[in-house]
């Protein structure tokens, strides 16, 4: 009964929409998921769900992260300065 994402920018994925989400794009390479998780933990931000998609091995990748609360602006700015994070946007939905 919830809205879902099935494709973003031509990348197939399966993700439920949540009230507070973070959208990131990056190259598909080792270590990025771990780096994101560590940053969330250090900032005290709890992840409710983590959805991933990529167009091909080593190609373009997308993460949609559902959070318990809105993404703080200072955290978003910190993410945007991480090497390999091409784009980071906070998303809000009425679900």
């Amino acid at each position: 009964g919830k809205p879902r994402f099935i494709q973003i920018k031509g990348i197939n994925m399966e993700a439920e929409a949540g009230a507070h989400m973070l959208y990131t794009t990056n190259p598909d390479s080792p270590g990025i998921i771990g780096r994101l998780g560590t940053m969330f933990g250090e900032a005290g931000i709890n992840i409710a769900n983590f959805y991933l998609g990529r167009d091909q091995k080593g190609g373009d990748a997308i993460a949609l992260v559902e959070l318990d609360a809105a993404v703080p602006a200072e955290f978003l700015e910190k993410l945007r300065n991480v090497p390999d994070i091409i784009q980071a946007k906070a998303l809000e939905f009425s679900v």
Side-chain angles (χ1 to χ4, degrees):
K2 277 186 157 183
R4 301 182 78 72
F5 298 94
I6 57 170
Q7 189 179 76
I8 299 172
K9 294 174 83 172
I11 296 175
N12 295 327
M13 63 186 326
E14 184 73 24
E16 282 188 12
H20 309 287
M21 300 189 83
L22 175 75
Y23 164 80
T24 65
T25 60
N26 56 272
D28 178 42
S29 59
I32 294 175
I33 295 169
R35 193 171 325 145
L36 285 173
T38 298
M39 288 179 70
F40 282 117
E42 289 173 348
I45 298 171
N46 194 49
I47 298 171
N49 288 297
F50 202 118
Y51 305 101
L52 302 168
R54 66 180 183 177
D55 60 359
Q56 63 184 344
K57 183 178 178 180
D60 294 325
I62 290 175
L64 275 177
V65 186
E66 182 182 357
L67 306 168
D68 288 344
V71 179
E74 60 275 1
F75 180 77
L76 192 57
E77 206 45 50
K78 189 174 179 181
L79 269 179
R80 290 178 176 149
N81 291 314
V82 171
D84 291 331
I85 299 293
I86 298 166
Q87 195 174 29
K89 291 184 178 184
L91 306 174
E92 300 285 328
F93 297 101
S94 297
V95 291

